[in-house]
Amino acid sequence: MITFQISHSTSYDYSSGVTFCHNIATIKPMNMLGQTLLEYTLEISPIPSEISEKLDFFGNTVTRFSIQKHHEKLVVIAKSKVHRDYTLQPNIEESKSGKSITLNEAILALKSNDTDILEARQFILESILIAKISPDIKAYAEISFKPNRPIFEAAFELMQRIYTDFDFDTEVTNVATPIHEVMKEKKGVCQDFAQIAIACVRSVGLPARYVSGYIETLPPPGKEKLVGTDASHAWFSVYIPTFGWVDFDPTNNQIPKNQHIIVSYGRDYYDVPPLKGVIYSTGKNKMQVAVDIRPAV
């Protein structure tokens, strides 16, 4: 178990200023089994004229705020203190039925009208950024997912293959890059790898969701950790009937544990970006993001 102090700062500099903006922030870590949100503050400058907080359709905390006066810079800083203890969560390794259920068995189980099954089935459907799954993505998925092979084993292998086959490159993609281009180039960032995995899982008829959050990164041996050098992170989760959701991180080739902090769930990145909005402006803007995660003192 470990407690983290997290700072997530986003700033926009507007070359011509902004007269009005309306934004949605999804940056408040979840309270859930194995993760406890101990403290949370959100600082916004300029001070919003309107602000509200609510749960969205997926159970994520979203903050809506509007600034209705001229400003040349927007700064949003979220500070959180989170306690993680993954040992409190169900362990797939200890679930004989969950670990062994095959693709064929899962497809049959997903026909049930059980409440949990109905909720999970929405994550099989197409979403904004994961639509019209291409034949090459389906073929890539079917290398791992065989009818009589356990889902957990197949998803674990898929995670490993993406880690091996794709290069991490921050210069190749952006949030609007279609997944078929990522598949072709075999390059991208954590959001891309999560969405490729989700497309693969959905292509064989299984529910998969996008997980947005943070991961603690450690400095090289003998070096001090620099403030603000961490980043938002993303991974994917597969629903296994008789067990539930199991997370996989293809960027780091591991099943998330204490070093992963969960902020939100969605169908893809489009549902849960840390910050999105609309502005009234005629000029360009420059965004800077700094994330810092470290054990709480």
Side-chain angles (χ1 to χ4, degrees):
M1 63 184 69
I2 187 168
T3 300
F4 292 106
Q5 200 77 46
I6 305 161
S7 175
H8 184 160
S9 173
T10 307
S11 65
Y12 288 90
D13 288 286
Y14 305 109
S15 61
S16 300
V18 171
T19 56
F20 170 86
C21 72
H22 182 70
N23 301 275
I24 298 176
T26 310
I27 45 182
K28 185 175 183 177
M30 282 191 161
N31 245 325
M32 54 185 289
L33 189 63
Q35 177 173 299
T36 304
L37 180 61
L38 301 174
E39 298 174 9
Y40 176 76
T41 60
L42 184 63
E43 302 170 9
I44 303 171
S45 177
I47 297 173
S49 54
E50 297 179 10
I51 186 168
S52 64
E53 183 181 282
K54 63 179 287 187
L55 295 180
D56 70 6
F57 178 80
F58 301 105
N60 309 309
T61 300
V62 296
T63 302
R64 291 176 167 83
F65 64 92
S66 298
I67 299 172
Q68 300 178 23
K69 62 181 179 181
H70 185 272
H71 57 284
E72 297 180 352
K73 187 181 184 72
L74 170 65
V75 179
V76 179
I77 302 174
K79 295 181 179 180
S80 311
K81 189 174 184 180
V82 177
H83 182 71
R84 283 286 284 135
D85 186 356
Y86 80 94
T87 62
L88 299 177
Q89 301 167 209
N91 187 346
I92 184 68
E93 296 284 357
E94 298 174 355
S95 173
K96 186 176 181 180
S97 60
K99 192 177 179 181
S100 63
I101 187 169
T102 66
L103 177 58
N104 277 348
E105 291 169 340
I107 296 297
L108 183 61
L110 286 167
K111 295 180 180 179
S112 164
N113 289 326
D114 179 81
T115 301
D116 290 341
I117 294 290
L118 289 175
E119 184 176 336
R121 277 193 343 222
Q122 68 183 311
F123 292 97
I124 302 175
L125 305 175
E126 290 186 352
S127 53
I128 298 295
L129 299 179
I130 306 176
K132 298 180 180 178
I133 296 171
S134 60
D136 57 333
I137 289 180
K138 184 172 176 59
Y140 189 80
E142 289 175 341
I143 294 173
S144 295
F145 288 89
K146 306 294 185 183
N148 294 311
R149 187 181 192 186
I151 294 173
F152 174 74
E153 184 180 300
F156 194 93
E157 181 183 272
L158 175 66
M159 173 187 72
Q160 293 178 315
R161 288 172 53 223
I162 293 175
Y163 175 78
T164 301
D165 296 343
F166 289 71
D167 294 327
F168 189 91
D169 191 330
T170 60
E171 303 297 323
V172 176
T173 62
N174 57 51
V175 295
T177 303
I179 56 172
H180 69 266
E181 289 187 20
V182 178
M183 189 70 196
K184 180 181 178 181
E185 296 296 328
K186 297 291 194 295
K187 295 178 181 179
V189 294
C190 57
Q191 290 86 357
D192 300 307
F193 303 157
Q195 291 182 150
I196 286 291
I198 291 168
C200 286
V201 175
R202 289 180 186 168
S203 76
V204 298
L206 296 175
R209 66 185 181 184
Y210 182 93
V211 190
S212 177
Y214 305 109
I215 183 172
E216 179 194 23
T217 56
L218 300 176
K223 300 290 184 179
E224 285 191 14
K225 184 172 183 177
L226 299 177
V227 176
T229 55
D230 294 310
S232 293
H233 193 46
W235 56 98
F236 74 102
S237 189
V238 178
Y239 184 79
I240 301 180
T242 74
F243 180 80
W245 292 98
V246 182
D247 290 5
F248 300 87
D249 181 353
T251 304
N252 295 291
N253 193 29
Q254 60 184 253
I255 291 180
K257 293 184 179 178
N258 279 345
Q259 75 276 25
H260 288 72
I261 300 102
I262 298 169
V263 171
S264 53
Y265 297 113
R267 296 165 297 177
D268 56 37
Y269 173 84
Y270 187 86
D271 285 333
V272 289
L275 190 64
K276 63 181 177 181
V278 294
I279 61 173
Y280 288 164
S281 178
T282 57
K284 295 181 179 180
N285 66 76
K286 181 180 180 181
M287 181 181 74
Q288 289 186 312
V289 178
V291 178
D292 188 68
I293 306 161
R294 58 187 64 228
V297 177

